[in-house]
């Protein structure tokens, strides 16, 4: 085990290169300020170590160790042919330009290192530097694709260990792109991590099963990554309608497949199963504002997720087309994307480069849409109903990527008393990732969840605790972390549980639409249920 | 791959201890799975929950919403945690022979 691995250590023989050592970590703010009283990080089992490639004593991808020379060679050859394709306009026209710029122009100043929450919270383990991964990829590119001398760019051995570990290492990055934002010349290490994931998936068929088999493939086959068919999702929404009607006293009947509706709303279907108040609150708000809206029961159209955004361009395009076809069929004016960050990325920013002609139908984030409704006074709010401390998490794919920062704050000012709102430091486009980004929140094998709470998620937990310093940290004084993104919510839920933060500090979490409905004087009070977490 | 021994046969488990062939589930499998969850006996209340999950899964091919479970079985969420300490998804659904939940849940 090496504490400070160098670039070349990635190609070293058997065993982990290094590991996240919790003893190297900075203590958190109170009441978690004693490092040795934090919950332990589970060890990787010995059977997992025997079977799978081990980078750092945790595993996201489950790459089996090659058993024969031919399997070893397949990894190396596949990696080289995949890399060739990444730098070919015919194969990679979508990302070729930013990729080449990021390859050619990095000055290796390492300004990006400190901007990365994973590196900083790991106790500065070099393996987790954004440019550790990129520099390896860059050296291989100059050596094998551009065939330049290694004297200028540095050498890197290419063996199966390096390939397998580099793929695993592409899943130690949240793709939050805070490093790209910090880079003086815009080198995008986050995108490079995704390019490595893409190479592994499209050329070698290597990717986490949660994202592929149980994710995008299941969605394209059944209709949703949750496994819900259209019959099940309608049954569940009926149940939500009944529950919400009872809870708020406002009648909710979710409209399905309404042709010619103004707005086709797409939820992350995980909300329907795990956070039913969220789609319920959306319905209550849209009805109160008099919006002409509908859901679609077409294949994949009731689940806005597009895990291809995390690992595979082909899968991304396939799911995207299903989303667009459903909107075209219903002849809606636009698609409205609910509280899901990566759906924003897939359906707007990336889709803008893919959808042409009549496929390019308008797509909008729910936040600018809703802030207009709030400004026009189409829904009444009574802020005093949200009389508890609230902090706001900015989802990277909505805020840093798209620049949507002010709408959620304007809504916040309309529904939460000013003196109750606490900004995190930093926030807005300079936010930190929740630690669940890029699919981490649903990658749950081995001890990977513990790694993502102790590593990537630790900065967010630190920010949450800092935002609430000065409050009474017990459950008699409930506090709300508003996280308007399903993936962020899943991560924050699991991390609060890991730290027992409701029992110990009275910290709960939820979305933004729930806070809005909780403040509606027309609805019965108590929409937010503190006991349910 | 990990195995679950039930009488004289054994079933494949995934890395989180969920069975891989839901069609092979029966009461003895449930008891063996419960033991892996640290639940050594299944009371009437345990069975009520397990049977509900099982029937829903057989009808719809997916686990039910937790809210629905609570309403239809008339149990509070904390009661479910008392019965199965790892909770409705990782505990109760596992014992009922459902596969691991997928997607952003």
């Amino acid at each position: 085990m090496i504490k400070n691995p160098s670039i070349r250590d990635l190609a070293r023989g058997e065993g982990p290169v290094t590991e996240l050592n919790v003893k190297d970590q900075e203590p958190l703010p109170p009441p978690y300020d004693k490092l040795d009283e934090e919950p332990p990080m589970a060890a990787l089992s010995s059977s997992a170590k025997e079977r799978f490639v081990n980078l750092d004593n945790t595993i996201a991808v489950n790459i089996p160790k090659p058993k024969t020379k031919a399997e070893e060679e397949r990894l190396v050859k596949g990696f080289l042919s995949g890399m060739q394709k990444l730098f070919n306009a015919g194969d990679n026209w979508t990302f070729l330009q930013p990729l080449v710029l990021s390859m050619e122009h990095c000055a290796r100043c390492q300004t990006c290192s400190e901007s990365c929450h994973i590196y900083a919270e790991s106790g500065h383990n070099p393996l987790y530097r954004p440019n550790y991964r990129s520099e390896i990829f860059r050296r291989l590119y100059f050596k094998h694709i551009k065939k330049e001398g290694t004297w200028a760019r540095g050498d890197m051995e290419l063996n199966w260990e390096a390939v397998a570990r580099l793929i695993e290492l592409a899943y130690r990055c949240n793709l939050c792109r805070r490093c790209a934002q910090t880079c003086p010349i815009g080198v995008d290490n986050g995108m490079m991590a995704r390019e490595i994931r893409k190479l592994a998936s499209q050329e070698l068929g290597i990717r986490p099963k949660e994202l592929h088999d149980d994710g995008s493939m299941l969605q394209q086959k059944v209709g949703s990554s949750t496994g819900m068919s259209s019959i099940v999702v309608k049954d569940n929404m009926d149940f939500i309608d009944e529950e919400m009607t009872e809870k708020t006293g406002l009648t909710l009947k979710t409209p399905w497949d309404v042709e010619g509706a103004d707005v086709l709303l797409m939820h992350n279907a995980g909300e329907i199963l795990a956070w039913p108040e969220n789609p319920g609150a959306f319905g209550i708000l849209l009805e109160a504002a008099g919006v002409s809206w509908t859901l679609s029961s077409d294949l994949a159209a009731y689940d806005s997720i597009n895990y291809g955004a995390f690992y595979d361009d082909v899968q991304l395009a396939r799911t995207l087309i299903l989303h667009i076809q459903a909107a075209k069929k219903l002849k809606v004016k636009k698609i409205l994307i609910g509280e899901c960050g990566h759906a924003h990325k897939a359906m707007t920013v990336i889709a803008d480069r893919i959808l042409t002609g009549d496929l390019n139908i308008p797509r909008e984030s729910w936040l600018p849409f809703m802030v207009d409704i709030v400004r026009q006074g189409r829904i009444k709010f009574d802020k005093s109903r949200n009389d508890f401390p609230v902090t706001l998490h900015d989802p990277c794919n909505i805020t840093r990527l798209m620049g949507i920062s002010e709408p959620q704050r304007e809504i916040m000012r309309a529904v939460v008393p000013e003196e109750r709102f606490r900004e995190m430091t930093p926030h807005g486009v300079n936010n930190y990732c929740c630690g669940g980004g890029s699919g981490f929140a649903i990658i749950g094998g081995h001890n990977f969840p513990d790694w993502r709470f102790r590593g990537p998620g630790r900065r967010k937990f630190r920010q949450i605790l800092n935002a609430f310093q000065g409050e009474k940290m017990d459950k008699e004084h409930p506090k709300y972390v508003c996280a308007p993104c399903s993936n962020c919510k899943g991560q924050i839920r699991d991390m609060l549980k890991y730290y027992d933060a409701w029992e110990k500090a009275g910290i709960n979490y939820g979305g933004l639409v729930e806070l809005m409905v909780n403040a509606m004087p027309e609805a019965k009070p108590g929409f937010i249920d503190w006991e349910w977490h | 791959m990990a195995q679950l021994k039930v009488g004289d046969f054994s079933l494949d488990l995934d890395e989180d201890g969920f069975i891989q062939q839901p069609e092979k589930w029966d009461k003895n499998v449930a008891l063996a799975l419960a033991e892996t969850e640290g639940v050594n006996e299944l009371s009437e209340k345990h069975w009520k929950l397990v049977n509900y999950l099982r029937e829903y899964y057989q009808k719809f091919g997916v686990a039910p919403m937790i809210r629905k479970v609570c309403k239809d079985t008339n149990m509070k969420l904390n009661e479910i945690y008392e019965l199965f300490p790892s909770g409705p998804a990782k505990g109760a659904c596992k014992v009922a022979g459902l596969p691991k939940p997928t997607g952003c849940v």
Side-chain angles (χ1 to χ4, degrees):
Chain A
M1 191 79 58
I2 305 171
K3 198 169 173 176
N4 291 307
S6 74
I7 296 277
R8 292 186 191 189
D9 283 329
L10 207 80
R12 207 163 45 76
E14 286 276 304
V17 174
T18 181
E19 68 179 356
L20 175 74
N21 188 343
V22 296
K23 287 186 192 130
D24 295 337
Q25 297 192 297
E26 290 254 340
L28 292 164
Y32 293 92
D33 47 340
K34 296 199 175 56
L35 203 52
D36 51 2
E37 286 175 17
E38 284 190 43
M41 190 179 143
L44 185 64
S45 71
S46 49
S47 78
K49 283 181 188 169
E50 255 167 52
R51 287 150 58 212
F52 302 114
V53 172
N54 186 358
L55 169 71
D56 56 349
N57 279 335
T58 188
I59 294 175
V61 195
N62 287 323
I63 307 168
K65 284 187 191 167
K67 291 192 186 73
T68 62
K69 202 86 199 145
E71 284 179 16
E72 291 177 6
E73 275 169 14
R74 180 186 164 265
L75 279 172
V76 175
K77 281 188 183 154
F79 182 83
L80 279 174
S81 63
M83 190 141 103
Q84 202 85 48
K85 287 179 192 167
L86 285 186
F87 293 97
N88 178 347
D91 291 307
N92 195 20
W93 54 270
T94 39
F95 290 94
L96 181 64
Q97 188 188 44
L99 177 61
V100 169
L101 292 174
S102 294
M103 281 290 152
E104 298 281 345
H105 298 294
C106 172
R108 296 182 230 173
C109 69
Q110 317 301 354
T111 306
C112 52
S113 299
E114 211 54 51
S115 71
C116 173
H117 55 297
I118 304 182
Y119 171 64
E121 291 291 350
S122 73
H124 297 94
N125 187 323
L127 181 78
Y128 303 121
R129 281 192 301 116
N131 203 30
Y132 180 96
R133 179 188 310 106
S134 304
E135 181 61 18
I136 291 167
F137 198 59
R138 205 174 280 122
R139 288 185 185 187
L140 294 172
Y141 160 77
F142 285 116
K143 189 172 174 181
H144 297 281
I145 305 294
K146 292 202 83 182
K147 317 248 185 244
E148 287 184 9
T150 52
W151 59 272
R153 302 290 189 169
D155 199 7
M156 177 72 207
E157 196 186 338
L158 181 62
N159 54 19
W160 75 264
E161 287 94 340
V163 170
R165 289 196 185 119
L166 190 61
I167 294 169
E168 190 66 50
L169 186 55
Y171 288 88
R172 298 296 182 277
C173 164
N174 283 121
L175 311 184
C176 79
R177 299 173 70 244
R178 200 168 189 272
C179 52
Q181 181 184 39
T182 305
C183 176
I185 52 174
V187 167
D188 195 339
N189 290 301
M191 180 214 47
M192 281 209 267
R194 185 181 177 276
E195 290 295 284
I196 297 169
R197 293 180 180 197
K198 181 164 100 186
L199 185 169
S201 178
Q202 294 183 199
E203 193 72 11
L204 288 159
I206 297 175
R207 54 247 157 161
K209 71 172 183 338
E210 291 92 337
L211 300 185
H212 187 70
D213 308 75
D214 299 344
S216 61
M217 293 300 280
L218 187 62
Q219 180 184 25
Q220 289 159 16
K221 187 175 149 221
V222 178
S224 165
S225 55
T226 59
M228 285 192 289
S229 65
S230 63
I231 296 169
V232 180
V233 78
K234 280 182 158 180
D235 187 58
N236 282 340
M237 283 305 298
D238 279 351
F239 177 79
I240 291 173
D241 285 348
E242 279 169 35
E243 289 275 291
M244 293 303 124
T245 301
E246 193 182 315
K247 198 167 182 176
T248 61
L250 304 169
T251 308
L252 179 62
K253 185 88 192 83
T254 296
W256 283 98
D257 303 310
V258 180
E259 216 181 283
D262 285 350
V263 163
L264 168 58
L265 176 64
M266 287 196 190
H267 291 298
N268 178 322
E271 301 281 356
I272 296 168
L273 269 185
W275 296 281
E277 284 76 14
N278 188 277
F282 262 102
I284 299 271
L285 291 166
L286 294 179
E287 288 296 318
V291 174
S292 148
W293 68 291
T294 186
L295 300 186
S296 164
S297 64
D298 272 9
L299 188 75
Y302 50 88
D303 191 353
S304 67
I305 73 114
N306 192 338
Y307 293 162
F310 300 144
Y311 77 100
D312 191 302
D313 284 358
V314 179
Q315 287 297 86
L316 182 138
R318 285 181 180 145
T319 298
L320 179 62
I321 296 296
L322 292 174
H323 287 150
I324 300 300
Q325 278 170 344
K328 274 185 68 180
K329 187 173 137 193
L330 288 177
K331 303 184 183 71
V332 294
K333 293 206 178 104
K334 64 174 128 183
I335 296 175
L336 193 64
I337 309 160
E339 292 192 2
C340 174
H342 88 273
H344 277 70
K345 180 180 192 169
M347 226 183 298
T348 62
V349 183
I350 300 182
D352 276 345
R353 294 179 63 87
I354 300 177
L355 299 175
T356 55
D358 65 344
L359 288 175
N360 194 9
I361 78 156
R363 289 114 34 217
E364 188 179 8
S365 165
W366 79 279
L367 280 163
F369 182 85
M370 188 61 79
V371 88
D372 277 348
I373 290 175
V374 171
R375 277 181 198 164
Q376 291 158 7
R378 284 154 69 186
I379 308 172
K380 296 270 167 295
F381 295 110
D382 172 8
K383 297 188 223 200
S384 69
R385 286 204 177 179
N386 284 327
D387 191 19
F388 41 82
V390 177
T391 189
L392 176 65
H393 166 65
D394 289 296
C396 302
N397 285 323
I398 299 175
T399 306
R400 183 175 5 267
L401 182 68
M402 296 179 70
I404 300 173
S405 172
E406 193 47 29
Q408 55 270 47
R409 288 174 169 76
E410 196 172 328
I411 294 172
M412 204 53 101
R413 286 193 290 273
V415 301
V416 172
E418 199 187 339
E419 67 279 10
R420 287 302 213 174
F421 181 61
R422 317 247 175 293
E423 284 280 19
M424 295 187 194
T425 310
H427 58 262
V429 294
N430 295 312
N431 77 325
Y432 282 105
C433 171
C434 63
S438 82
F440 283 12
I442 61 160
I443 297 177
H446 312 288
N447 59 347
F448 193 74
D450 282 14
W451 180 84
R452 85 173 126 87
F453 308 142
R454 287 304 290 242
R458 192 174 178 81
R459 182 54 57 98
K460 185 53 58 180
F461 191 51
R462 186 185 297 285
Q463 282 192 289
I464 292 169
L465 292 170
N466 276 329
F468 290 135
Q469 288 302 309
E471 303 290 343
K472 290 199 172 74
M473 295 301 245
D474 58 48
K475 67 173 174 174
E476 276 65 53
H477 298 84
K479 293 164 280 292
Y480 192 89
V481 182
C482 175
C485 162
S486 314
N487 193 84
C488 306
K489 262 192 321 208
Q491 161 77 358
I492 289 171
R493 171 193 62 196
D494 296 350
M495 191 159 60
L496 294 180
K497 187 159 184 279
Y498 175 78
Y499 283 106
D500 203 12
W502 170 252
E503 292 296 328
K504 270 193 170 163
I507 301 174
N508 207 345
Y509 74 100
L512 181 50
V513 285
E514 292 91 320
L515 272 179
M516 295 176 79
V517 174
N518 201 50
M520 281 173 68
E522 274 103 27
K524 287 188 213 164
F527 187 77
I528 289 174
D529 183 354
W530 295 97
E531 287 306 310
W532 186 276
H533 47 267
Chain B
M1 190 169 284
Q3 300 274 316
L4 179 76
K5 275 212 158 19
V6 188
D8 50 3
F9 69 99
S10 57
L11 291 174
D12 291 342
L13 294 176
D14 75 1
E15 66 210 22
D16 297 295
F18 286 77
I19 58 169
Q20 302 282 292
Q21 304 130 293
E23 68 284 356
K24 295 225 168 131
W25 184 90
D26 64 16
K27 296 212 159 177
N28 290 325
V29 174
L31 286 165
L33 284 165
E35 249 175 72
T36 70
E37 282 292 300
V39 180
N40 295 322
E41 261 178 73
L42 293 181
S43 67
E44 203 177 306
K45 234 175 160 186
H46 283 102
W47 282 116
K48 185 178 163 191
L49 182 59
V50 165
N51 288 332
Y52 171 80
L53 293 170
R54 190 74 204 163
E55 277 160 30
Y56 187 95
Y57 175 71
Q58 280 175 328
K59 196 166 162 199
F60 293 112
V62 61
M65 296 164 66
I66 298 169
R67 291 267 183 190
K68 210 169 191 158
V69 178
C70 291
K71 194 161 193 177
D72 292 348
T73 61
N74 205 14
M75 287 183 204
K76 292 206 170 102
L77 187 60
N78 59 3
E79 286 179 81
I80 296 179
Y81 272 95
E82 278 164 27
L83 295 172
F84 295 100
S86 8
K90 284 184 181 148
C93 285
K94 182 191 283 184
V95 174
L98 276 58
K100 194 174 152 186
T102 59
C104 294
V105 293

